[in-house]
């Protein structure tokens, strides 16, 4: 009788889990949360309940409940730290809690430095926070592993290296050192090159090398903006 009762309870829990996932997919977030949490204590896979309920709570704007579900997931499944942490970071980024997401992802990256998705999310967090030096350290890995679409990656690279140049623009020596730290194929990017040359003009610096850099870029690819700079 005890075995039969347990089997019935497990079957009911599975039905509630399935229904909760269906509710979540169809946009019935409150109903999804209720179904997912009703018999979580008797579930064979409580981690799925808690992570899905965290998504449902987030989509209702219930961020304290979201964090509570994530904590319960971790307490019950410490071996699933990476899966729980990635879910937490995704939800934090979606809610524009970028500094909290950065803390979560920095920890995950220290635990799993070769995890591609964590690296991509960490680059995104650095980009949103305009932490340019940290971003450009990750970008070669992001590019090598093709973790972003080419257009998105190029824009992130331009933003990152332009930010690094801006941070170094108080000194011509540091500025030129920062420029030569940029990958060669990006040194001919018109937007980035224009920023580099505009800084030379704004600061009143002189340098034949800057002119030669500009001419090499024009030999490689004609650009009207660079002609105006020249």
């Amino acid at each position: 009788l005890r075995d039969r009762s347990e089997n019935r309870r497990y079957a009911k829990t599975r039905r509630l889990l399935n229904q909760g996932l269906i509710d979540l997919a169809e946009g019935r977030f409150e109903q999804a949360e209720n179904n997912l949490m009703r018999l979580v204590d008797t579930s064979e896979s409580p981690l799925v309940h808690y992570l899905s309920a965290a998504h449902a709570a987030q989509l209702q704007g219930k961020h304290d409940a979201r964090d509570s579900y994530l904590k319960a997931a971790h307490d019950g499944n410490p071996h699933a730290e990476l899966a729980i942490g990635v879910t937490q970071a995704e939800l934090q980024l979606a809610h524009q809690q970028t500094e909290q997401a950065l803390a979560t992802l920095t920890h995950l990256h220290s635990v799993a430095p070769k995890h591609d998705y964590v690296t991509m999310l960490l680059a995104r967090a650095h980009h949103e926070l305009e932490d340019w030096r940290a971003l450009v350290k990750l970008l070669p890995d992001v590019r090598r592993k093709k973790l972003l679409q080419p257009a998105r990656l190029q824009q992130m690279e331009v933003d990152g290296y332009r930010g690094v140049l801006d941070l170094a623009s108080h000194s011509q020596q540091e500025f030129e050192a920062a420029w030569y730290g940029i990958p060669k194929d990006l040194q001919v990017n018109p937007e980035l090159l224009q920023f580099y040359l505009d800084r030379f003009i704004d600061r009143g610096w002189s340098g034949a090398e800057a002119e030669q850099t500009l001419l090499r870029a024009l030999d490689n690819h004609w650009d009207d903006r660079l002609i105006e700079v020249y």
Side-chain angles (χ1 to χ4, degrees):
L1 287 172
R2 182 170 60 250
D3 290 345
R4 188 172 181 181
S5 176
E6 287 179 354
N7 288 337
R8 289 179 63 187
R9 191 160 56 247
Y10 288 144
K12 184 176 181 180
T13 303
R14 285 193 292 271
R15 287 197 301 272
L16 287 171
L17 173 59
N18 290 336
Q19 186 58 51
L21 293 174
I22 290 170
D23 292 333
L24 181 60
E26 294 182 351
R28 297 187 293 272
F29 305 127
E30 183 177 3
Q31 187 173 335
E33 182 184 359
N34 291 336
N35 283 328
L36 289 164
M37 297 307 299
R38 271 180 65 187
L39 293 177
V40 65
D41 292 335
T42 61
S43 175
E44 298 166 302
S45 52
L47 180 63
V48 178
H49 290 257
Y50 284 123
L51 295 184
S52 301
H55 278 282
Q58 163 100 347
L59 291 166
Q60 297 174 77
K62 297 164 60 176
H63 304 110
D64 290 340
R66 174 203 68 189
D67 293 340
S68 177
Y69 294 142
L70 291 170
K71 183 179 184 303
H74 187 272
D75 290 344
N77 303 269
H79 62 280
E81 178 183 13
L82 193 58
I84 297 165
V86 166
T87 300
Q88 182 176 20
E90 287 177 326
L91 295 175
Q92 288 169 331
L93 286 171
H95 187 54
Q96 298 180 335
Q97 294 176 305
T98 314
E99 291 184 357
Q100 294 92 323
L102 178 61
T104 302
L105 291 163
T106 300
H107 170 69
L108 293 177
H109 195 253
S110 69
V111 173
K114 295 183 179 180
H115 193 285
D116 291 350
Y117 191 54
V118 169
T119 300
M120 187 273 285
L121 290 177
L122 185 58
R124 176 183 163 189
H126 284 310
H127 184 260
E128 290 185 11
L129 289 171
E130 300 183 359
D131 188 355
W132 306 125
R133 289 194 175 103
L135 174 61
V136 298
K137 288 180 181 178
L138 289 176
L139 286 177
D141 200 25
V142 173
R143 175 188 278 208
R144 180 171 56 84
K145 295 181 177 180
K146 300 180 180 179
L147 303 182
L148 290 169
Q149 293 295 323
R152 173 64 172 158
L153 173 61
Q154 184 180 56
Q155 189 58 57
M156 196 175 281
E157 287 177 326
V158 169
D159 291 344
Y161 287 112
R162 184 171 57 190
V164 168
L165 287 172
D166 193 39
L167 291 170
S169 62
H170 59 279
S171 158
Q172 182 174 352
Q173 184 178 0
E174 288 188 30
F175 186 74
E176 290 182 325
W179 173 255
Y180 290 118
I182 296 174
K184 294 292 185 183
D185 60 325
L186 283 170
Q187 289 183 359
V188 296
N189 176 278
E191 184 178 348
L192 198 55
L193 183 56
Q194 182 176 1
F195 182 86
Y196 166 73
L197 295 166
D198 283 343
R199 277 290 183 273
F200 255 87
I201 296 168
D202 293 343
R203 297 293 190 272
W205 293 331
S206 61
E209 183 59 34
E211 181 183 353
Q212 292 304 313
T213 299
L214 173 55
L215 293 175
R216 284 194 298 270
L218 287 169
D219 284 341
N220 182 66
H221 177 72
W222 184 272
D223 186 277
D224 290 344
R225 292 171 297 177
L226 296 182
I227 287 296
E228 292 180 10
V229 173
Y230 182 67

